[in-house]
Amino acid sequence: MKLKTALLALAVFATACSDSEDPKPSDGGTQVDPDAGTAEPLYAAITQVAIAGGNTQSYLVTLDDIEKAQTVGIGDAIELPADAYIAAGLPGTGKFIVSSSRLPTVTPYTLNADGSLKAGDPLSFTSQGVAATGGYQSQHYFVSETKAYYFDHVNYKLVIWNPQDLSIITSKDLTSQLKNGDFTFRYSQSLAITAGDDVIIAGGWHAADVRTVPAKTALVIVDTQTDEVTVKVDNRCGWARDGVKHTDGKIYYATESLGSGAHFVSPGTTGAPCMVRFDPATGEFDAWSTTLDSFINPGTEGDIAAMLLPGAPGKGYLRVMNKAAAQSAWDAAVAAERPFNGQNAAVGAWWSLWEVTLGDAPTATPVVRDDLVPTNGRTIPQNPGELLVLPEFINDNAQTRFRLMSPETGLGDAKTVVEGQVRGLLRIR
């Protein structure tokens, strides 16, 4: 089956953008019924493009094909505020929201029958104590057309709201479970995982200098039927925010690239990258754990790996650091009297992809492909559903290439390249 056909059959999220289309905002128009008139998909993407002064500008673009080889610019894009970079919603419904890293609002967009996009009045979360609605796409989870969650990492809130009538339902305060002294708490950029009626999102803590990461990971588990929240904490493995569900239903969580980068620059204050396992059937972490170094090049010591991504059944992918390249960048930063911390180590283009077979004794092998080069270690997976889209930041982070990840076979092709860094992706039709 061709990839395009599979995308339609699975009805999953994905995205990209096109020079040939004109997604200019509309002042009116008729809202589209995504199930009527056309079977062709339409995707929305928010990309951030570097501008003068070291700043970025956000743009909203649309495209009807992510399969073909193309390089896409922003000539026909909708200009957004620089703080807007997340698009989220239910796939294929003709509706989505754009969040803000500066304001406590989400702005709804509607797809009109003529293909234009109409922005609605923003919904404010101020009444729930929210200062901004940024973070990652994973923090905006849509249960249905009438219920969505925003996981606020700054104020330790779960905000429950209605996307259909743009109203706040309620919120839950998780401060007592998630606040950890002066450490900064952040949710995972990887997609939330579902288990039955539960949605599970992981989080971790780091110090302000991003050189110290405590050996502690939290899972925030929400029952989507009752909205009851349970928080489970593991005290063996730090920043283990990226999860992959095995065929037996258990979820493996591994240290994400910032935590691994912090260990690289400060091994005395941040433990080695590691992996733990959670069993949704019991609602607990089990006794099993391992370091990532134990199965990455088992004959050598000190390998730095991070960021577990879903692969074929029973498998996943890890990014592995080229330590020599990272060390050269660190040395250059020191010579120039620039800081170099876990975040700097995480975002350099010195992370290659390895395939991991999960289980009690994991194994890993490097992925060798002509179209696969070392990339930013903190590339952000997009869009819950049966197909994962992995944006790869390339050409000194000036472009984004969409890597399609099949749930049956794992790593797929990457053909569409978009100007800027795409951080919000969604299929809207």
Side-chain angles (χ1 to χ4, degrees):
M1 180 185 291
K2 290 186 67 178
L3 176 58
K4 188 171 182 180
T5 305
L7 285 171
L8 293 173
L10 291 172
V12 298
F13 293 157
T15 187
C17 48
S18 172
D19 285 331
S20 63
E21 295 181 344
D22 183 4
K24 294 183 176 64
S26 168
D27 291 330
T30 304
Q31 181 181 337
V32 68
D33 178 350
D35 296 322
T38 178
E40 292 299 316
L42 187 68
Y43 306 92
I46 298 179
T47 185
Q48 291 187 305
V49 177
I51 58 176
N55 299 312
T56 60
Q57 179 63 56
S58 295
Y59 295 91
L60 174 62
V61 292
T62 61
L63 154 121
D64 59 11
D65 193 342
I66 62 169
E67 182 180 359
K68 65 183 180 183
Q70 58 183 327
T71 299
V72 176
I74 55 171
D76 293 323
I78 299 171
E79 186 173 307
L80 298 174
D83 58 273
Y85 55 87
I86 297 172
L90 289 174
T93 60
K95 299 178 180 179
F96 63 98
I97 60 100
V98 174
S99 70
S100 170
S101 63
R102 184 176 59 88
L103 300 173
T105 59
V106 295
T107 300
Y109 279 79
T110 300
L111 175 64
N112 292 323
D114 62 2
S116 63
L117 295 173
K118 179 184 178 182
D121 294 330
L123 170 65
S124 175
F125 289 6
T126 302
S127 63
Q128 306 306 306
V130 174
T133 58
Y136 301 112
Q137 187 193 62
S138 59
Q139 292 172 235
H140 293 271
Y141 186 85
F142 282 67
V143 179
S144 68
E145 292 194 44
T146 58
K147 185 164 72 173
Y149 299 144
Y150 173 56
F151 294 88
D152 179 7
H153 60 282
V154 175
N155 297 291
Y156 313 104
K157 293 283 188 70
L158 170 64
V159 179
I160 307 169
W161 63 285
N162 187 327
Q164 188 170 77
D165 61 17
L166 293 175
S167 63
I168 301 295
I169 298 173
T170 188
S171 66
K172 295 179 180 288
D173 189 346
L174 306 179
T175 303
S176 62
Q177 296 102 312
L178 298 179
K179 185 172 176 56
N180 184 17
D182 292 331
F183 286 110
T184 298
F185 176 78
R186 294 299 303 269
Y187 284 109
S188 172
Q189 74 268 43
S190 294
L191 306 176
I193 294 176
T194 57
D197 291 332
D198 292 342
V199 58
I200 306 171
I201 184 169
W205 295 262
H206 67 74
D209 63 4
V210 200
R211 298 174 69 90
T212 299
V213 173
K216 187 175 183 179
T217 293
L219 300 184
V220 177
I221 306 167
V222 186
D223 184 324
T224 58
Q225 299 300 306
T226 65
D227 302 325
E228 290 300 312
V229 181
T230 303
V231 177
K232 294 293 181 179
V233 176
D234 178 88
N235 291 299
R236 297 168 295 171
C237 188
W239 208 251
R241 309 186 314 163
D242 297 324
V244 168
K245 186 189 290 187
H246 200 292
T247 52
D248 62 6
K250 294 182 179 180
I251 306 171
Y252 289 74
Y253 286 96
T255 303
E256 190 265 346
S257 306
L258 181 146
S260 299
H263 174 72
F264 174 67
V265 300
S266 185
T269 60
T270 297
C274 46
M275 185 186 292
V276 291
R277 188 167 60 192
F278 180 78
D279 188 351
T282 63
E284 302 291 343
F285 287 95
D286 65 23
W288 179 91
S289 67
T290 185
T291 63
L292 303 185
D293 179 42
S294 68
F295 60 89
I296 299 292
N297 287 326
T300 64
E301 294 185 0
D303 292 292
I304 305 290
M307 196 171 188
L308 185 64
L309 300 164
K315 297 180 180 290
Y317 295 94
L318 281 169
R319 295 207 180 277
V320 177
M321 176 190 284
N322 180 331
K323 292 172 64 176
Q327 185 65 54
S328 295
W330 188 2
D331 293 342
V334 171
E337 298 183 342
R338 299 191 310 268
F340 194 91
N341 57 27
Q343 172 72 359
N344 302 115
V347 300
W350 42 67
W351 298 84
S352 60
L353 207 62
W354 286 50
E355 186 175 46
V356 179
T357 299
L358 299 169
D360 289 339
T363 59
T365 55
V367 179
V368 179
R369 289 180 53 148
D370 291 340
D371 66 341
L372 202 61
V373 297
T375 62
N376 185 317
R378 302 203 75 204
T379 307
I380 303 171
Q382 295 292 321
N383 302 318
E386 297 179 41
L387 187 71
L388 180 71
V389 177
L390 181 64
E392 296 175 344
F393 300 150
I394 59 175
N395 295 332
D396 199 25
N397 294 333
Q399 293 179 310
T400 302
R401 181 171 61 186
F402 295 107
R403 175 75 58 184
L404 304 181
M405 310 282 278
S406 163
E408 289 82 24
T409 59
L411 193 70
D413 292 333
K415 297 182 178 181
T416 294
V417 175
V418 181
E419 181 178 357
Q421 293 188 15
V422 176
R423 298 179 180 274
L425 308 104
L426 183 68
R427 182 173 65 82
I428 57 177
R429 184 176 67 204

